[in-house]
C-alpha cells in the first residue's frame, strides 16, 4: 500500500538541503565560504598531525575530528548566510517586520506578527512590542503616510498605560535602520521595567478594546531605581 506523504513535514536533512539550495541561489558567496570553513580545520589539523605525531591511531582520530569540526563550521556559515539572504529577500515587503518580531525576539519580550495599525491601500503598518525597555512601536512604511496612524497609537497608549515609556522605530526607505538590525536596536533600548511589569503592561494592552478597565496598580517605571535587582 502506497504511503501518503501529503501534508507531512520534510525531514531535517531535506530541510537542510532546501535551505542550502535557497542560500546558494540568493548568495553566490555562500558555497565558497562553506568550502573554506570546512577545509580550513581539516587541512590544518591533518598537516599538524602528520608532521608532529607518528601514531596512526592518533592521526586518524584527529583527522576524523577535524572533519566533524569542519562540517559544523560549514553549517554555521550556511545558517548565517541563509539568515542574511532571507532578510535581504524580505526587505521592503509588507509584513516583514511581523516575521522578524515573531522569530527574532525571546525572553521577556511580548510581540505579535500582526500589526496594531495598517493602511489597506498602501500596506503601511505599525507593530507593537513590549519588553524591559517599555513599549516599542515599529513603523513599517513611508514616514509621511504613517504619521496619522502613529499619532493614533500614541494617543491610545497615553490613555491606556500611563507612565510607561514608548519608543518609536522606523523601518522604511527613509530610515537608516535596516530590517536586519531591528531586533538588535530593540535590545539596546534602556531597560526600565521589571519582568512582572512587562507582563502587566502586555496584558493591559491586550485589553485595549475596553478602555474602561482600570489601569494596573504598581506600574510606574519613572520610580524604578537603576540599581534595583531584576
Amino acid at each position: 500500500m502506497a504511503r501518503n506523504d501529503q501534508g507531512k513535514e520534510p525531514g531535517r536533512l531535506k530541510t537542510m538541503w532546501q535551505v542550502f539550495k535557497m542560500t546558494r541561489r540568493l548568495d553566490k558567496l555562500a558555497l565558497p565560504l562553506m568550502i573554506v570553513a570546512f577545509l580550513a580545520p581539516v587541512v590544518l589539523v591533518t598537516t599538524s598531525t602528520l608532521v608532529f605525531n607518528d601514531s596512526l591511531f592518533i592521526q586518524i582520530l584527529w583527522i576524523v575530528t577535524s572533519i566533524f569540526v569542519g562540517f559544523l563550521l560549514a553549517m554555521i556559515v550556511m545558517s548565517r548566510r541563509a539568515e542574511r539572504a532571507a532578510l535581504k529577500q524580505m526587505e521592503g515587503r509588507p509584513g516583514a517586520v511581523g516575521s522578524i518580531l515573531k522569530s527574532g525576539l525571546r525572553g521577556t519580550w511580548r510581540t505579535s506578527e500582526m500589526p496594531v495599525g495598517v493602511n489597506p491601500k498602501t500596506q503601511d503598518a505599525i507593530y507593537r512590542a513590549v519588553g524591559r525597555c517599555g513599549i516599542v512601536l515599529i513603523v513599517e512604511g513611508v514616514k509621511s503616510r504613517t504619521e496619522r496612524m502613529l499619532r493614533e497609537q500614541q494617543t491610545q497608549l497615553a490613555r491606556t498605560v500611563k507612565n510607561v515609556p514608548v519608543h518609536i522605530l522606523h523601518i522604511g526607505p527613509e530610515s537608516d535602520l535596516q530590517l536586519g538590525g531591528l531586533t538588535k536596536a530593540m535590545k539596546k533600548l534602556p531597560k526600565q521595567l521589571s519582568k512582572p511589569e512587562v507582563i502587566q503592561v502586555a496584558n493591559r494592552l491586550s485589553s485595549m478594546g475596553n478602555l474602561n478597565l482600570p489601569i494596573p496598580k504598581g506600574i510606574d517605571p519613572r520610580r524604578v531605581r537603576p540599581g534595583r535587582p531584576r
Side-chain angles (χ1 to χ4, degrees), residues 3-9:
R3 186 176 179 180
N4 185 8
D5 290 334
Q6 291 183 354
K8 183 180 179 180
E9 294 184 0

Side-chain angles (χ1 to χ4, degrees), residues 5-209:
D5 290 334
Q6 291 183 354
K8 183 180 179 180
E9 294 184 0
R12 181 173 298 180
L13 292 177
K14 186 175 182 180
T15 300
M16 290 175 61
W17 177 246
Q18 291 173 346
V19 171
F20 170 74
K21 290 195 298 183
M22 180 207 72
T23 306
R24 186 181 179 185
R25 186 178 71 253
L26 299 175
D27 186 352
K28 301 302 181 183
L29 288 176
L31 182 57
L33 291 174
M34 289 177 63
I35 294 175
V36 171
F38 175 77
L39 290 180
V42 174
V43 172
L44 179 62
V45 172
T46 300
T47 303
S48 302
T49 302
L50 294 177
V51 172
F52 297 106
N53 201 303
D54 296 330
S55 172
L56 180 61
F57 175 76
I58 297 299
Q59 290 175 350
I60 294 175
L61 180 63
W62 276 106
I63 291 173
V64 170
T65 302
S66 69
I67 291 174
F68 280 108
V69 172
F71 179 77
L72 178 61
L73 291 177
M75 291 301 98
I76 292 175
V77 170
M78 185 185 73
S79 176
R80 298 283 179 84
R81 304 299 291 193
E83 182 180 358
R84 180 178 176 180
L87 287 173
K88 187 176 181 180
Q89 195 174 32
M90 288 192 299
E91 195 80 45
R93 293 189 178 185
V97 169
S99 299
I100 295 298
L101 293 180
K102 181 182 178 181
S103 60
L105 292 172
R106 296 289 186 269
T108 56
W109 286 97
R110 298 293 183 269
T111 65
S112 172
E113 61 179 327
M114 299 300 296
V116 293
V118 63
N119 186 327
K121 294 182 179 179
T122 62
Q123 299 299 309
D124 296 329
I126 296 180
Y127 296 82
R128 186 176 65 217
V130 182
R132 298 285 299 278
C133 62
I135 300 170
V136 185
L137 294 178
I138 304 99
V139 183
E140 181 184 64
V142 180
K143 286 184 178 181
S144 59
R145 297 198 305 242
T146 56
E147 289 180 353
R148 181 177 179 180
M149 282 196 303
L150 181 58
R151 285 196 301 267
E152 291 175 352
Q153 289 297 321
Q154 290 175 305
T155 301
Q156 278 189 315
L157 292 175
R159 292 199 303 258
T160 309
V161 281
K162 296 180 180 179
N163 300 326
V164 178
V166 179
H167 307 273
I168 310 297
L169 296 178
H170 187 270
I171 298 290
E174 303 167 340
S175 174
D176 294 331
L177 180 61
Q178 300 298 315
L179 189 64
L182 176 59
T183 56
K184 186 177 181 180
M186 293 173 67
K187 292 175 182 177
K188 282 185 176 181
L189 295 172
K191 295 180 175 63
Q192 301 186 59
L193 299 182
S194 65
K195 293 180 181 180
E197 288 172 338
V198 171
I199 297 174
Q200 285 183 299
V201 172
N203 291 341
R204 183 67 184 93
L205 290 177
S206 67
S207 62
M208 281 183 66

